[in-house]
Amino acid sequence: MGKIIAIANQKGGVGKTTTAINLAASLAALELKTLIVDADPQANATSGVGINPKEVEVSIYECMVDDIEATKCIVQTDIKYLDIIPSHIDLVGAEVEMVSIDKREQKMKMSLSAIKDDYDYIIIDCSPSLGLITVNALTASDSLIVPVQCEYFALEGLGKLLNTIKIIQNRLNPELEIEGILLTMYDLRLNLSNQVVQEVRTHFKTMVFNTLIPRNIKLSESPSFGVPAISHDADSKGAISYLNLAKEILERNQVNAA
Ligand SMILES: Nc1ncnc2c1ncn2[C@@H]1O[C@H](COP(=O)(O)OP(=O)(O)OP(=O)(O)O)[C@@H](O)[C@H]1O
Ligand SMILES: [Mg+2]
């Protein structure tokens, strides 16, 4: 049975897309069949795996709004075991168009249920909002990863996110779990980074992944080549840390990596 994991935090620029792309690519490198669902109109995950959002014909938007089958929206990437359901800018309109639709919070869940078992992992990249598309993503998911940037105001907005998760658990998806909190853009040399790590670990304890994602240039430049860091420079600290995250998740889920 496939597991669906959303990468969510309504705070912008905390490393959601970087995590979605590189975690998915790492799971694929471990020979697990993986699908990225790009649920952000910015379409950064789409372009980050080498697909031009302007050339996307059927996106997650058509799945949710026009009831197009998810299988018809899947695009293969150049990476073995890694597929994507892309996004494009029209997804902005989905929020508005879906308001009058019946069961509007469950459209993504219904779409993905048809393909869930074709994959080991489905990773959903959410936008920096708690709007209807993110609610759809969290309703469709088994768990979520919350990236937290090792920066000033790291915990800002986390209370609101946890509250939204509670509401979704109560009303829409009782099975939703927090897979873990992921510390991103960690800089060993910065006192501030270390303070944030300590604060988050003290507060959230075992909810926090052991794996820390360092600030690493290969992670920030690989999207411009349209590849994950593991394809750009497999020996980089960034690529290795996301591979470690994938292994930690597999361990937590008691699946043996190939
Ligand atoms: N570990 C890292 N090291 C260096 N740069 C990083 C790292 N993680 C993310 N970045 C860079 O920081 C910026 C924001 O990251 P990213 O796009 O992953 O965040 P996001 O949460 O998806 O943003 P948004 O909220 O806009 O969707 C990007 O330019 C990305 O390349
Ligand atoms: Mg993003």
Side-chain angles (χ1 to χ4, degrees), residues 160-220:
K160 194 171 173 203
L161 177 61
L162 295 175
N163 199 33
T164 302
I165 293 165
K166 266 194 203 125
I167 294 170
I168 289 174
Q169 284 166 331
N170 286 339
R171 299 200 193 145
L172 294 159
N173 183 6
E175 316 292 329
L176 180 67
E177 289 178 356
I178 298 183
E179 190 76 40
I181 293 175
L182 178 67
L183 291 157
T184 64
M185 297 182 238
Y186 171 71
D187 189 337
L188 178 80
R189 296 160 304 177
L190 291 184
N191 264 342
L192 175 67
S193 253
N194 288 307
Q195 276 167 20
V196 171
V197 171
Q198 226 174 20
E199 190 183 345
V200 173
R201 286 207 196 283
T202 306
H203 201 266
F204 292 101
K205 302 192 171 66
T206 54
M207 270 168 80
V208 186
F209 287 111
N210 294 324
T211 308
L212 280 176
I213 307 300
R215 188 174 277 286
N216 179 256
I217 182 83
K218 301 292 176 184
L219 287 172
S220 54

Side-chain angles (χ1 to χ4, degrees), residues 17 36 51 65-66 76 79 97 103 106 115-116 118 123 142-143 147 152 169 187 192 195 211 213 215 232 243 247 251:
T17 302
I36 299 172
I51 293 156
V65 177
D66 301 333
Q76 284 186 340
I79 294 158
E97 285 182 51
K103 292 196 174 153
Q106 320 219 14
I115 54 166
K116 190 173 178 188
D118 298 341
I123 307 293
D142 297 300
S143 69
Y152 287 111
Q169 284 166 331
D187 189 337
L192 175 67
Q195 276 167 20
T211 308
I213 307 300
R215 188 174 277 286
H232 177 47
L243 197 58
K247 288 176 183 164
E251 243 166 59

